[in-house]
Each structure stands twice: as structure tokens, then as C-alpha cells.
Amino acid sequence: MTSNNKFIFIVEDGDAGIRVDKFVASKIPEYSRSEIQKFQITKNGNEIKLSDKVKVGEEYEVIIPEKKPVNVKRKTVNETMSLDIVYEDADIIVINKPRGIAMYPGAGREDGTLVQAVLAHTELSSIGADGMRPGVVHRLDKDTSGVIVFAKTDAAHRVLSHVFSEHNLVRKYIAFVWGVPNWLGADISGNIGRSTRNRQKMTMLKTGGKPAKTHAEVINVWPRTGISELRCTLETGRTHQIRVHLSAHGFPVLCDPIYGRGQTRLGSVKNPELLEFIRAGGGQMLHAEVLELSHPITGEMLKFKAKLPDDMRELKEILNDM
């Protein structure tokens, strides 16, 4: 028996002994466990704990709260921010994110974000709206450019969140780095966690943290400058993963203010144009080039590719002319 936001489930033999939250998740799998934690769930009219074990014959009433309105201040949306829309349908929108734009509002940052620009164009999923992150299923750092997908509906949001958490997709990045590898391809592994010295920074850890793996392949090298262009494929998705992995292995991303170690390299740069470009420091030379995943509703395999931004193309021209 159900209504739009009310469900009643009776425990049968095959369900006995599992946790309440797992029982409810098995009945309405379109909702995540974190969403279910916010539902009003009672057993035979009495309050329960989600960790309780269900028994045969018990009746559980589940009430799903009304959707919260999107909490982002639309009136402060930067309407002049032009969106480079790679793809859009009724369920998702894919954007080529520019460098220097934050994903969503946060402490000390109320407007001028990508979420607000997308909201000025279309509606986004209400999931995450109370936390100012409507439609967000993954993120790019403020100074990383490239392809990113937003969910326009709650159904698409739930599926995409699962896809990203299970890494059932392909993500490729282009990075310009200091150093010339003596390999054509390499698998870089190592746990990543927050630095104890600087809480704004991630680091490689011998113990703790989360496992992370990046595959890097060499695209171009400029030996005279000691700079290379790499294509990096993420096999996991940790915060700052590519930047941390490459820096820890001796190939920090150019113009990266946190992990780039640029000051120690500037003395070797003799070309005035390249030196000026690096000193300008427009943000790390990292670009999310390719995103491949199945459509959250239709299941169709999709591949999106975002062209290099102007600054990375300019850097490449400088290097090729040297």
C-alpha cells in the first residue's frame, strides 16, 4: 500500500534479520541509504532505530519528507556567465567548466558559482539543495577546467551518485607537468588523506586515508623546458587525486599553487614568454577532458569530450615554438 510519499511494508521470511534501513532500501532501491536516514519510519506505529533487526510479520510505515526547495540564492546568480553546454536532455546537463569558477556556494562565497549559472539556465535535482549543492554528483576543483555532469532530476541524481561511488565510468584528464618521465605509461597508487599539517591539503599516506589509483600516459615532452603533457585516467575519485599523485611521484602540475612546487623550478625557465605564463599563475594546468558513462535513465552509453581551454592551448603553443 502506497501513496505519493507514504509506503507500508510487511516483513516476509526472506527479509527477517536484516537492519531496518537495509530492509527499506530493498523495497525502494531508488533511494540511497543516506536519504533513507532522513525518512520518518515507524514499526506498528512506534518509533524505531534504523539499526534494529526486522522480524517476520512486522509492519513498517515509511513517510518520505516533501522535497526541500533549492536553497541557492537565484537572485545572485551571475547571469552573464556563459555556459559551454556539451549535452543536455530532460535528466542531465553536461558542462565544459571554465577554470577559476567554484562549483557551488560555500563559506565566504555566495554567488558567481557554476551551480548558480546552471540554475539560471535550467532546473536541477533537489537532492543536495539544502546543502547548496543541487544536482551535484561529482566536482572539479575551482581551478580545474573540463567536462562535468549535473543531474536535473532526483531519479538521475540517485543513479549517477551510485555510478560515481562505484567508479562505473571513465574519466580522463590532461595535465601539463614539471619533469620528463622515463616511461610511456605508469600506474600510480597510494592512499590519500587529509594532511595533518595543513587541513586544506591532501597527501599520500602510508596508513589510513583512502586507496587511490591513477593511470598516467605521456602525450608530449619538451625536454629543453623539462615539461611534459600527460593524460591521466582515474580509477578512483579522491579529492585532489591527480595533483597529489603526480606531485608525490615527482611530476607536479604546472601552476598548481598547492602541490606544484613551482618556485623551485622557475630558475630553470629561460624562455621569457613561458616564464611570464607560469608566473601569472592562472591555476593548475589540469583539464577534465573525457567523461564516459551510461545514461542514468535510458542506460545508453555516452561519451563527452571537452576541448582544452584557451590558457592550456596557449601554453602548448609556447612550448611548441621553443
Side-chain angles (χ1 to χ4, degrees):
M1 173 180 158
T2 65
S3 65
N4 287 338
N5 68 332
K6 178 179 176 181
F7 297 81
I8 295 178
F9 303 116
I10 298 175
V11 181
E12 300 178 349
D13 290 340
D15 300 316
I18 65 173
R19 288 169 50 113
V20 171
D21 52 359
K22 287 188 176 181
F23 170 68
V24 174
S26 71
K27 300 302 180 183
I28 43 177
E30 63 270 27
Y31 293 96
S32 68
R33 294 272 291 280
S34 60
E35 288 180 280
I36 288 171
Q37 291 173 2
K38 301 175 184 178
F39 294 174
Q40 179 183 333
I41 303 174
T42 56
K43 178 184 71 176
N44 301 327
N46 299 313
E47 294 185 0
I48 50 88
K49 295 180 180 179
L50 293 179
S51 59
D52 290 347
K53 303 296 176 63
V54 302
K55 298 178 181 179
V56 174
E58 290 177 336
E59 180 178 286
Y60 287 86
E61 180 181 270
V62 179
I63 298 178
I64 301 173
E66 296 292 333
K67 292 181 180 179
K68 294 183 178 181
V70 172
N71 197 32
V72 175
K73 296 179 181 178
R74 291 174 186 253
K75 66 181 180 180
T76 63
V77 170
N78 183 353
E79 304 264 3
T80 63
M81 187 192 301
S82 61
L83 292 175
D84 183 356
I85 300 174
V86 178
Y87 174 86
E88 183 178 12
D89 62 22
D91 302 291
I92 62 174
I93 181 170
V94 181
I95 304 293
N96 182 8
K97 173 189 171 297
R99 191 182 322 285
I101 302 299
M103 284 287 300
Y104 38 72
R109 183 180 61 243
E110 293 188 357
D111 43 8
T113 68
L114 188 60
V115 157
Q116 291 166 307
V118 176
L119 280 172
H121 168 77
T122 187
E123 293 295 322
L124 290 173
S125 162
S126 65
I127 298 175
D130 54 339
M132 310 275 289
R133 302 179 185 183
V136 175
V137 293
H138 69 127
R139 64 182 295 275
L140 294 176
D141 296 331
K142 177 182 177 181
D143 289 328
T144 297
S145 59
V147 62
I148 188 161
V149 59
F150 290 89
K152 295 175 65 172
T153 65
D154 288 0
H157 195 128
R158 294 185 187 101
V159 174
L160 287 174
S161 294
H162 181 73
V163 167
F164 278 89
S165 66
E166 295 297 318
H167 313 298
N168 294 327
L169 71 168
V170 175
R171 284 179 286 177
K172 297 180 183 290
Y173 289 67
I174 297 295
F176 287 86
V177 303
W178 291 108
V180 177
N182 59 2
W183 39 260
L184 294 178
D187 288 320
I188 303 174
S189 299
N191 286 22
I192 292 177
R194 200 161 294 280
S195 169
T196 56
R197 297 180 179 179
N198 181 353
R199 301 302 293 172
Q200 303 300 315
K201 188 175 181 180
M202 308 302 287
T203 188
M204 297 270 285
L205 298 172
K206 292 182 179 180
T207 58
K210 295 182 179 180
K213 186 174 182 179
T214 305
H215 178 76
E217 59 178 306
V218 178
I219 301 175
N220 286 300
V221 297
W222 294 271
R224 290 179 58 193
T225 62
I227 293 174
S228 302
E229 181 184 5
L230 307 181
R231 176 173 284 113
C232 298
T233 302
L234 289 181
E235 296 192 24
T236 54
R238 311 303 179 202
T239 301
H240 299 176
Q241 177 174 320
I242 292 174
R243 299 163 65 190
V244 172
H245 269 173
L246 292 180
S247 181
H249 285 75
F251 303 101
V253 177
L254 259 71
C255 303
D256 187 335
I258 299 177
Y259 309 101
R261 295 180 285 176
Q263 292 301 318
T264 63
R265 307 269 184 163
L266 288 180
S268 65
V269 179
K270 306 304 180 184
N271 182 280
E273 191 175 6
L274 177 59
L275 187 61
E276 181 181 355
F277 181 94
I278 295 170
R279 281 179 169 165
Q284 61 267 6
M285 294 290 99
L286 183 63
H287 174 73
E289 179 192 34
V290 172
L291 175 65
E292 295 182 51
L293 75 173
S294 58
H295 191 282
I297 304 302
T298 68
E300 177 188 0
M301 285 304 302
L302 303 171
K303 180 177 180 178
F304 307 111
K305 187 171 183 179
K307 64 183 181 180
L308 284 178
D310 291 343
D311 55 359
M312 291 180 77
R313 290 203 301 270
E314 179 187 354
L315 172 60
K316 198 165 186 175
E317 289 175 3
I318 292 172
L319 292 168
N320 286 335
D321 288 343
M322 291 177 61

